[in-house]
C-alpha cells in the first residue's frame, strides 16, 4: 500500500489495527447482452477495516458502482467472494445500508414518513419509531421539516433525508454511490462537512464512490484508485490529514493533485482507446483539474 505524506501525525505502529469488517477476495463480475461480454471488475481483493472511511475513485466505466452493488448484496460475483465479518454476502442485509445518487424518497410520504419506512419494515413499535426518527432528523438538522413533503425540500435537504433514512436501522456499514454528484458546489461542501461529523460521531464504516478527487480526499481515511477495462484496484492510498477538512484546504489540494498524477496514465489510456492511438495529453497538465470529476464523458 502506498502512503501520501502529510503534515498530520501518523498513527503509532504499536496500535492494534481495527478488525476487517468487509472483505473482497478475488472478486470478478461480468455482464452479457447475449453476444458481447463486458468484464466490469476482475480479480479485486480489498480489506476494509471497521470504522474506516474508504473512498473509491476512477474513470467512468471502471466498475465502482458494480463493486458497491456487490458489497451491498444487490449483485453476486461470478468469481471470488464478498465477506462481512468473515461470512459470505448472499444478499442485502440490515447490516449494510445503501445511498444512491438519486435520493429515491417516496413523494407521497412526509420527511418523517420516509425516515420511518425502513423501521416499519423491521417491525419496530410506533413509539420507538417516532423516537428514532426525531433523533435522526435532529442529527441531520431537519427536525423542523418532519411534516414537510419531499417536493418542498431543496436537493441538499432531500439528500440529508436520504442519509437519515439510511442510518435509521443503525447499519454497521454505509455504502454511498456518488450521493452528492448532482448538487451545486456550495451545498456539496456543506454536506461534506456534515458527513465527516456524522462519521466521526457514529464510528460507522463507510464506502463512498465518487468521481471527484478532492471530495475523496476530504472524506476518506483511505482512497482506492481504480483502473478500468477490466475494473481493478490500481492502488490504495492513505490520507492522513487533520479534520474537519474542506475542499479549499491547501493540503487537500496538494493530496488531490498527487492522486490525479497517479490516475493520469489510466485516464490517458482510456482516452486513447476511445479517440485513437494518435491522442496525446497536453504537456505539463493534468487531464482533469484536481477538484474536477474524473469520468464525465469518458
Amino acid at each position: 500500500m502506498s502512503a501520501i505524506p502529510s503534515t498530520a501525525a501518523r498513527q503509532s505502529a504499536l496500535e492494534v489495527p481495527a478488525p476487517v469488517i468487509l472483505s473482497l477476495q478475488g472478486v470478478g463480475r461480468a455482464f452479457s447482452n447475449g453476444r458481447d461480454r463486458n468484464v466490469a471488475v476482475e480479480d479485486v481483493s480489498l480489506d476494509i477495516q471497521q470504522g474506516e472511511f474508504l473512498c473509491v475513485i476512477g474513470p467512468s466505466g471502471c466498475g465502482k458502482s458494480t463493486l458497491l452493488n456487490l458489497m451491498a448484496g444487490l449483485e453476486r460475483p461470478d468469481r471470488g467472494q464478498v465477506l462481512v465479518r468473515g461470512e459470505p454476502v448472499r444478499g442485502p442485509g440490515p447490516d449494510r445500508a445503501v445511498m444512491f445518487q438519486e435520493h429515491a424518497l417516496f413523494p407521497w410520504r412526509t420527511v418523517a414518513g420516509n425516515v420511518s419506512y425502513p423501521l416499519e419494515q423491521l417491525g419496530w413499535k410506533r413509539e420507538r419509531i417516532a423516537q428514532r426518527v426525531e433523533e435522526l432528523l435532529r442529527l441531520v438538522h431537519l427536525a423542523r421539516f418532519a411534516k414537510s413533503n419531499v417536493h418542498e425540500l431543496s436537493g441538499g435537504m432531500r439528500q440529508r433525508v436520504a442519509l437519515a433514512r439510511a442510518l435509521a436501522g443503525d447499519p454497521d456499514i454505509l455504502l454511498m454511490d456518488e450521493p452528492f454528484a448532482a448538487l451545486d458546489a456550495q451545498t456539496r461542501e456543506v454536506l461534506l462537512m456534515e458527513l465527516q461529523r456524522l462519521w466521526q460521531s457514529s464510528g460507522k464504516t463507510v464506502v463512498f464512490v465518487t468521481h471527484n478527487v478532492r471530495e475523496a480526499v476530504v472524506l476518506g481515511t483511505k482512497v482506492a484508485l481504480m483502473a478500468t477495462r477490466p475494473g481493478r484496484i490500481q492502488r490504495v492510498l492513505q490520507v492522513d490529514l487533520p479534520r474537519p477538512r474542506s475542499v479549499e484546504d491547501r493540503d487537500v489540494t496538494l493530496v488531490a493533485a498527487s492522486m490525479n498524477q497517479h490516475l493520469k496514465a489510466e485516464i490517458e489510456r482510456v482516452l486513447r482507446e476511445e479517440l485513437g492511438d494518435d491522442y496525446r495529453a497536453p504537456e505539463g497538465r493534468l487531464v482533469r483539474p484536481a477538484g474536477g470529476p474524473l469520468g464525465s464523458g469518458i
Side-chain angles (χ1 to χ4, degrees), residues 117-193:
Y117 178 77
L119 303 178
E120 295 167 11
Q121 301 305 301
L122 291 172
W124 285 30
K125 293 183 178 180
R126 184 176 301 177
E127 295 77 12
R128 187 184 177 196
I129 289 177
Q131 182 179 358
R132 178 62 172 161
V133 169
E134 181 180 359
E135 172 189 318
L136 287 165
L137 290 180
R138 290 187 183 280
L139 192 67
V140 297
H141 306 300
L142 288 175
R144 68 189 183 96
F145 296 96
K147 297 181 180 180
S148 298
N149 295 314
V150 171
H151 72 267
E152 298 174 317
L153 306 180
S154 68
M157 293 168 72
R158 291 175 191 175
Q159 286 300 76
R160 278 190 277 161
V161 176
L163 178 58
R165 184 178 61 182
L167 294 171
D170 197 24
D172 297 322
I173 302 167
L174 185 58
L175 305 170
M176 309 181 77
D177 193 357
E178 299 191 71
F180 307 149
L183 302 177
D184 63 87
Q186 292 78 17
T187 302
R188 187 164 60 244
E189 172 76 356
V190 170
L191 290 180
L192 290 177
M193 297 296 287

Side-chain angles (χ1 to χ4, degrees), residues 219-233:
L219 293 174
T221 56
K222 293 178 183 175
V223 178
L225 309 181
M226 287 196 68
T228 189
R229 297 176 186 167
R232 59 199 184 280
I233 301 294

Side-chain angles (χ1 to χ4, degrees), residues 4-5 24 103 165 194 201 234 246 254:
I4 294 178
L24 286 75
H103 54 72
R165 184 178 61 182
E194 285 296 303
S201 63
Q234 193 176 49
S246 165
L254 293 174

Side-chain angles (χ1 to χ4, degrees), residues 10 15 47 56 65 85 97 118 137 185 197 206 243 267 271:
R10 298 190 180 278
E15 288 185 9
D47 288 336
V56 183
S65 294
R85 291 196 171 92
L137 290 180
R197 178 182 63 83
V206 180
R243 295 184 188 270
I267 297 171
L271 288 171

Side-chain angles (χ1 to χ4, degrees), residues 29-104:
R29 181 73 170 104
F31 300 92
S32 175
N33 61 10
R35 293 182 304 173
D36 301 320
R37 184 172 180 271
N38 175 39
V39 180
V41 293
E42 183 173 81
D43 196 26
V44 172
S45 296
L46 182 67
D47 288 336
I48 302 168
Q49 294 174 303
Q50 186 172 322
E52 198 164 69
F53 200 126
L54 176 74
C55 289
V56 183
I57 62 174
S60 287
C62 69
K64 300 184 298 296
S65 294
T66 298
L67 275 187
L68 208 73
N69 288 338
L70 290 167
M71 295 176 191
L74 299 175
E75 295 180 12
R76 299 286 296 273
D78 301 319
R79 296 173 302 283
Q81 57 182 346
V82 182
L83 306 173
V84 173
R85 291 196 171 92
E87 296 295 323
V89 170
R90 305 192 188 281
D95 55 348
R96 286 153 287 135
V98 187
M99 187 175 172
F100 299 102
Q101 182 174 338
E102 295 294 329
H103 54 72

Side-chain angles (χ1 to χ4, degrees), residues 28 63 93 95 102 139 212 235 247 255 267 270 281:
D95 55 348
E102 295 294 329
L139 192 67
N212 191 297
R235 65 183 66 200
V247 292
V255 173
I267 297 171
V270 173

